[in-house]
Amino acid sequence: MDVNLLNDPWLPFRTREEIIVYRPPTAVADPEIVDLALPRADFQGAAYQFLIGLLQTALPPQDQGNWLDRFIEPPGIGELEVAFAPFTAAFELDGDGPRFMQDLDPLDDVKDATVSGLLIDAPGANGIKNNTDFFVKRGRAEVMCEGCAALALFTMQINAPAGGAGIRVGLRGGGPLTTLVLPESPDASLWSRLWLNVVTPWSLTRSGHAWQEPCVDDDSLFLWMAPTRVSDKKGTEVLPEGMHPLHPYWSMPRRFRLLFEDEACRCDTCGRETTRAVRRIRGKKQGANYDGPWLHPLTPYRRDPKKPNEPPLSTKGQPGGLGYQHWSNLVLHDANASGALPAQVVQDYVSEKVLVVDEERRFGEEIAALLKHVRLWAFGYDMDNMKPRGWYSVEMPLVAVPPAHQERLRDWVQRFTDLARQVAWMVRTQVKNAWFARPSDAKGDMTHIDLAFYDATRGAFFHALHGFQQTLAEADDAPRLPSEVAERWYRTLKREGMALFEEQALSGALEAADLQRATAARRQLQSFLAGRSKGSKAIRQFAETGGFALIAEPAATEEGVS
């Protein structure tokens, strides 16, 4: 029996009782469902994007008031069934007609390949040939159930990395970062987790374009509903202005066909017994070639302010992961200075959703603090061209402030993260001075020191962030940087910087066991952190801006800061 991804129970959900149940996408309306439960981290992120895209397509809120109504009172399963019904033909996974995210052509003219080719972290042909699949082993995903094959296909299409001549990259570029807004409460319903990332149609419509009601056979929305737009010559690029505003959710750069077999076996990915499986696929080059100024609603971008006519570039996963030093660019819009363009769903939360809730409260509506405490979930692959170096997933607090104060929040956050970078750099420099007689000649990657420093000061940064939020929420026209928050941040950086130096300075190679060198490096670091050295101008300026004195602090000042 063919699987339909809207009607059949193929997605694993987690209930409040920590039970895993397989149900169709309409289960998101069940208040007992609190999360998805996919067997792989990239599948989990992709399944969130699948369901958000589905709600955005089939049940878009007409305005912010309509969005809030559904947030407070979610639709029932029957209402979702009615909303999804017009799109079922686009979500058939098998059959003679159009297949979900697969080529309309059966691709009979190409050789079969193993289904593991749909996994971004699976070893390629060269890795297997040269026996270099040390960490990601061959043969670990020889067979998949229909559900895992569908998610592997979707994950590849929305994240498609570089793959060589004619193998097309995803609409967002290879290895894009995804940022979603999540409720703070760990037992929040899955509906609230998804609906926080659904926006009104007008916010997705480009200037000068009219919104079109989505239609199942519209191949500017679902490319797989029509013959492939083959990109074997110039002039065949897929540009934003020729596609439906919802198309980024359903982008399809690769040409694939899943080959189904009726057999009883166990899925290598999720471990479930299945009677219908996918072992082989067909793939062909020259799929949709995305070009132009695409903006995916779930991805942050950066525009070069000096080159306003160039398309924005999606933010990618980076070696070393994501930390609070990236928070500002993921949350605060700053097109003209830094070029930061947060994901549309994040901008919509900060600029629209919080305001509509506040407005309802002012009119006397008894609305709980639904949107005051939320988190930012950032995840994605760190890609080295076509090779994945790792998968990153991090959650951070997401604060909202009145629109008039967003620039001030960005300025304060920038000052705090700039100071942290300066201190991290100096700690690393002095550790090298302690380790090596000729530190400028020392080779090797020492970024682990920076990462350890950011990790140690992470909690203090987010504590400061909430301090900013409180100050700006109660502020007049020109609020000042709260001096107690600034001083606490400085003391934390100073303390953690010295602690990290002490930990690292005598942990290097044998050459590092030079106590005189280590002592001299410690003295230089202390002088910098106290604002006494020639190079510590940044420390002195921060103290001046923050309105506190650089004096020796009593131990009680630092107590409890982390």
Side-chain angles (χ1 to χ4, degrees):
M1 179 180 172
D2 298 344
V3 166
N4 185 280
L5 300 181
L6 299 189
N7 299 332
D8 291 312
W10 66 282
L11 275 172
F13 295 96
R14 189 184 309 279
T15 69
R16 294 190 186 280
E17 287 73 35
E18 295 294 317
I19 299 170
I20 307 301
V21 294
Y22 280 80
R23 293 174 60 181
T26 51
V28 301
D30 185 341
E32 293 303 307
I33 299 295
V34 295
D35 206 353
L36 288 154
L38 279 303
R40 289 170 51 106
D42 57 347
F43 282 16
Q44 183 84 351
Y48 261 85
Q49 293 178 77
F50 174 87
L51 292 173
I52 291 167
L54 184 56
L55 293 174
Q56 190 70 69
T57 302
L59 199 72
Q62 297 310 304
D63 53 38
Q64 293 295 349
N66 179 230
W67 177 89
L68 182 59
D69 289 343
R70 285 193 177 132
F71 189 83
I72 297 170
E73 295 184 23
I77 289 176
E79 187 178 342
L80 284 191
E81 288 175 346
V82 171
F84 293 169
F87 299 97
T88 53
F91 289 83
E92 295 286 351
L93 194 62
D94 192 7
D96 298 329
R99 298 180 175 191
F100 175 74
M101 283 209 167
Q102 298 170 66
D103 212 271
L104 202 56
D105 185 328
L107 305 184
D108 293 326
D109 56 337
V110 297
K111 290 183 179 179
D112 296 356
T114 176
V115 70
S116 65
L118 292 176
L119 300 176
I120 291 174
D121 59 338
N126 284 337
I128 295 174
K129 178 181 177 182
N130 299 327
N131 202 33
T132 57
D133 52 331
F134 304 119
F135 302 107
V136 182
K137 294 297 183 183
R138 69 191 80 179
R140 69 190 180 100
E142 292 183 350
V143 59
M144 291 187 196
C145 64
E146 291 168 300
C148 285
L151 263 182
L153 174 67
F154 183 71
T155 305
M156 173 60 80
Q157 296 286 24
I158 65 173
N159 296 294
I167 300 179
R168 299 306 180 195
V169 181
L171 174 145
R172 298 180 272 187
L177 204 60
T178 299
T179 52
L180 302 180
V181 182
L182 296 181
E184 180 67 36
S185 174
D187 62 350
S189 68
L190 179 59
W191 172 263
S192 64
R193 296 169 190 266
L194 299 170
W195 196 245
L196 272 171
N197 298 282
V198 176
V199 298
T200 58
W202 65 262
S203 67
L204 299 176
T205 308
R206 290 176 174 270
S207 177
H209 289 73
W211 174 258
Q212 303 166 283
E213 286 299 317
C215 178
V216 68
D217 56 2
D218 180 358
D219 69 319
S220 77
L221 173 57
F222 304 125
L223 279 177
W224 59 92
M225 299 303 288
T228 300
R229 304 185 185 200
V230 179
S231 58
D232 54 355
K233 50 182 170 291
K234 285 189 176 183
T236 55
E237 293 82 5
V238 178
L239 304 173
E241 52 266 29
M243 302 299 287
H244 194 283
L246 289 169
H247 178 67
Y249 293 96
W250 309 109
S251 58
M252 182 183 153
R254 301 286 182 89
R255 305 181 67 183
F256 286 118
R257 290 281 285 199
L258 306 183
L259 305 181
F260 295 89
E261 300 176 10
D262 292 316
E263 63 165 319
C265 61
R266 183 184 296 273
C267 174
D268 286 342
T269 303
C270 70
R272 282 210 308 165
E273 297 290 340
T274 182
T275 56
R276 200 148 191 268
V278 179
R279 290 183 181 273
R280 310 291 292 176
I281 62 172
R282 293 182 188 136
K284 195 170 184 176
K285 297 181 179 181
Q286 313 295 352
N289 185 14
Y290 291 104
D291 199 5
W294 284 100
L295 288 174
H296 193 292
L298 307 181
T299 287
Y301 287 78
R302 184 185 180 278
R303 187 188 302 279
D304 188 342
K306 297 178 181 177
K307 301 175 181 177
N309 294 326
E310 290 193 0
L313 297 175
S314 63
T315 304
K316 308 291 197 296
Q318 298 295 324
L322 297 162
Y324 68 78
Q325 65 273 31
H326 304 107
W327 186 90
S328 180
N329 286 344
L330 298 179
V331 174
L332 301 175
H333 189 274
D334 187 36
N336 296 327
S338 67
L341 303 174
Q344 177 63 43
V345 294
V346 176
Q347 292 186 54
D348 189 76
Y349 163 78
V350 170
S351 302
E352 301 289 342
K353 289 185 167 68
V354 171
L355 294 183
V356 74
V357 170
D358 287 344
E359 188 175 334
E360 290 294 321
R361 284 202 194 96
R362 282 197 297 273
F363 280 109
E365 294 290 334
E366 291 190 10
I367 300 175
L370 297 171
L371 304 179
K372 289 300 183 185
H373 302 288
V374 299
R375 293 170 293 151
L376 179 75
W377 178 24
F379 58 87
Y381 276 105
D382 167 26
M383 300 294 298
D384 176 14
N385 200 6
M386 64 186 74
K387 300 174 185 175
R389 288 181 291 222
W391 172 266
Y392 295 114
S393 176
V394 63
E395 293 183 13
M396 297 183 269
L398 178 54
V399 304
V401 301
H405 294 324
Q406 284 188 22
E407 280 303 313
R408 197 157 299 251
L409 176 62
R410 169 174 278 281
D411 176 61
W412 290 355
V413 168
Q414 196 67 47
R415 290 176 188 275
F416 273 47
T417 54
D418 282 349
L419 187 67
R421 288 190 183 95
Q422 292 267 3
V423 174
W425 177 84
M426 183 55 73
V427 171
R428 174 163 36 90
T429 298
Q430 296 308 333
V431 168
K432 286 180 71 173
N433 288 339
W435 281 359
F436 305 108
R438 300 175 63 184
S440 60
D441 295 337
K443 306 297 182 185
D445 184 5
M446 296 183 67
T447 54
H448 68 280
I449 296 175
D450 299 56
L451 297 178
F453 178 76
Y454 287 127
D455 188 57
T457 54
R458 183 176 188 269
F461 174 80
F462 291 126
H463 185 70
L465 201 57
H466 286 298
F468 293 160
Q469 183 183 34
Q470 183 175 351
T471 298
L472 293 171
E474 303 165 353
D476 54 18
D477 292 339
R480 285 180 55 83
L481 177 64
S483 59
E484 69 278 6
V485 177
E487 183 172 7
R488 191 185 303 122
W489 179 239
Y490 160 70
R491 304 294 179 202
T492 301
L493 296 184
K494 181 180 178 182
R495 185 186 69 248
E496 297 297 343
M498 286 305 305
L500 184 58
F501 174 85
E502 300 283 2
E503 176 190 318
Q504 296 284 332
L506 296 178
S507 65
L510 289 177
E511 187 188 354
D514 186 319
L515 193 56
Q516 184 177 1
R517 201 165 57 229
T519 302
R522 186 180 191 277
R523 195 180 304 117
Q524 288 183 21
L525 179 59
Q526 280 183 315
S527 180
F528 170 83
L529 292 173
R532 295 195 302 265
S533 69
K534 290 182 179 179
S536 57
K537 182 180 178 182
I539 298 285
R540 296 189 294 272
Q541 285 182 336
F542 185 83
E544 183 180 347
T545 303
F548 64 90
L550 289 172
I551 56 175
E553 67 280 357
T557 303
E558 298 178 3
E559 191 175 338
V561 179
S562 61

